[in-house]
Amino acid sequence: MNSQDEKTITYTVAFYNLENLFDIYNDASKHDDDFLPNSDKRWTQKRYDRKLFKLAQVISKIGVENAQKPPSIVGLAEVENKNVLRDLIESKDLESYNYGIVHYNSQDERGIDVAMIYDKTVFTVQHSKTYSIYLEDEIGEQDYTRDILLVSGILHSEKVHCIINHWPSRREGEQESMPKRLKAAQKVVEIIDTIKAKDPNAKLLVMGDFNDNPSNESIKFLSANGDLYNPMETMLSYSRGSLNHNFKWNLFDQILFSTNFFETQKNKLKFDEADIFDEKFLTQYKGKFKGQPFRTFVGKKYKGGYSDHFPVFVQLNVSET
């Protein structure tokens, strides 16, 4: 068959940590006091609307060069509730794209959850579920963190399983908090094993803000024991990553996938490329933080930017005749 008769469709799968997408209303069950109009951060309707506008603008541009349209699937971190997601997908730059929402409230102490939005014209949700990670603090009491979200459905004509993560932070120190992220990695491997017990050839996309780099033990454990490929492994450098801390780049935001995305078959999803979406408009354009993500806040100081993380994405191709 001559290649001119072949038609290739490209789908983008992205992950984006939105940096505290809170609404402006007080929720007694959450630690949202910083994000209220009368708080030190003065989180007003105007600032909230501006953030939504900016985030929607970013999402609408990820992967568009090859796919000719915004992402089919976007895993998200740091969202307060379903209402903020509704406001996001109804923003000017996204409202015409028919996005659906998958979100569950978790018991995270800060009240921030993971979620997924998806293009309803190309992805159909068949099943979704959250898994909690059991952690204990220094005195043996349960320490709550973000749940892991599993969304299974049909993309193009194939079943794919998306596992969305926001692993415990490094707040108390990288080494001190490492066991918590290893626990999270073990939980993801358990979820993968459960899926593969029913379908050994399941296609898996594991994405998130892992609060660890590709070279860290938790990610190495996840890719080895989950039989996953990590296309982000070679992307971190002294001048590039998805977030910057103390003038050092990290690549905590990653998308890993099952190795069967390398198989070439007609009408099947195949891995094409992966990248960090770090376009210039997303960066600080001057000063000592030039080139770093243009954030909404630095501490309590309002900057009016997008997020303290860059999105990451993979693109999947399907060859049709």
Side-chain angles (χ1 to χ4, degrees):
M1 179 69 66
N2 133 1
S3 62
Q4 287 173 336
D5 296 329
E6 284 199 359
K7 182 182 164 211
T8 301
I9 304 170
T10 301
Y11 297 101
T12 305
V13 176
F15 176 81
Y16 196 10
N17 180 325
L18 303 178
E19 188 199 344
N20 294 314
L21 183 56
F22 281 86
D23 62 28
I24 63 166
Y25 308 106
N26 190 18
D27 181 340
S29 68
K30 295 183 175 174
H31 289 251
D32 64 355
D33 294 356
D34 276 348
F35 291 93
L36 299 172
N38 58 358
S39 71
D40 287 352
K41 286 187 170 176
R42 296 201 302 284
W43 189 237
T44 58
Q45 187 70 45
K46 188 177 174 184
R47 288 180 171 185
Y48 173 66
D49 290 343
R50 184 175 181 184
K51 182 163 173 96
L52 286 170
F53 172 78
K54 284 188 155 307
L55 293 173
Q57 192 185 26
V58 179
I59 292 167
S60 74
K61 289 178 164 62
I62 300 171
V64 165
E65 211 174 310
N66 290 344
Q68 310 301 314
K69 61 177 183 175
S72 304
I73 291 168
V74 190
L76 300 169
E78 297 204 5
V79 300
E80 185 185 13
N81 52 41
K82 197 166 268 172
N83 294 336
V84 299
L85 291 165
R86 221 171 267 129
D87 290 345
L88 178 66
I89 63 172
E90 286 168 6
S91 291
K92 184 169 85 69
D93 286 302
L94 293 181
E95 63 182 352
S96 60
Y97 292 109
N98 203 14
Y99 275 108
I101 294 168
V102 183
H103 169 267
Y104 295 85
N105 283 316
S106 74
Q107 289 185 291
D108 174 64
E109 285 154 9
R110 283 180 58 214
I112 51 171
D113 309 322
V114 295
M116 188 176 114
I117 59 172
Y118 60 96
D119 178 346
K120 291 191 280 191
T121 64
V122 295
F123 183 77
T124 307
V125 175
Q126 292 183 319
H127 169 75
S128 65
K129 182 180 177 177
T130 55
Y131 296 81
S132 54
I133 305 157
Y134 185 77
L135 301 172
E136 287 183 358
D137 61 19
E138 307 75 51
I139 55 170
E141 290 185 350
Q142 188 167 0
D143 191 7
Y144 294 101
T145 187
R146 279 79 57 169
D147 288 342
I148 297 166
L149 173 62
L150 166 67
V151 183
S152 305
I154 305 294
L155 177 63
H156 191 72
S157 56
E158 270 192 281
K159 186 157 189 172
V160 294
H161 305 270
C162 302
I163 302 173
I164 299 156
N165 301 264
H166 186 187
W167 288 1
S169 79
R170 294 180 166 195
R171 208 167 28 243
E172 65 262 43
E174 181 187 338
Q175 286 313 311
E176 293 80 353
S177 56
M178 173 58 84
K180 292 181 178 180
R181 289 186 295 283
L182 267 172
K183 274 264 180 73
Q186 287 159 0
K187 191 70 185 178
V188 177
V189 171
E190 274 176 40
I191 297 166
I192 290 171
D193 289 346
T194 307
I195 293 167
K196 284 187 170 175
K198 291 181 185 161
D199 176 9
N201 298 314
K203 281 196 156 170
L204 302 154
L205 290 153
V206 180
M207 65 191 87
D209 173 355
F210 297 101
N211 272 301
D212 266 337
N213 286 311
S215 58
N216 286 124
E217 193 184 342
S218 64
I219 301 294
K220 291 290 190 192
F221 177 90
L222 173 61
S223 51
N225 292 277
D227 194 20
L228 302 169
Y229 175 75
N230 189 355
M232 312 269 156
E233 225 165 78
T234 55
M235 286 182 203
L236 179 62
S237 72
Y238 75 95
S239 60
R240 198 170 189 228
S242 63
L243 72 156
N244 196 295
H245 182 64
N246 292 337
F247 297 94
K248 181 176 180 282
W249 284 103
N250 288 295
L251 187 53
F252 291 172
D253 306 272
Q254 299 162 60
I255 302 175
L256 301 85
F257 53 82
S258 49
T259 52
N260 49 5
F261 276 106
F262 286 118
E263 293 166 12
T264 307
Q265 290 173 306
K266 206 146 274 157
N267 269 317
K268 298 281 188 189
L269 295 159
K270 180 181 184 294
F271 171 67
D272 181 42
E273 65 170 319
D275 210 348
I276 304 164
F277 190 73
D278 54 1
E279 299 283 315
K280 203 167 173 55
F281 77 94
L282 281 172
T283 66
Q284 305 248 36
Y285 61 92
K286 62 178 185 183
K288 66 173 183 175
F289 299 109
K290 187 179 176 185
Q292 294 187 19
F294 181 23
R295 306 167 58 156
T296 308
F297 282 94
V298 176
K300 289 187 175 165
K301 198 169 172 49
Y302 180 67
K303 294 290 181 183
Y306 301 84
S307 169
D308 52 356
H309 291 243
F310 293 136
V312 293
F313 66 96
V314 297
Q315 293 194 305
L316 308 169
N317 282 347
V318 176
S319 292
E320 293 184 322
T321 50

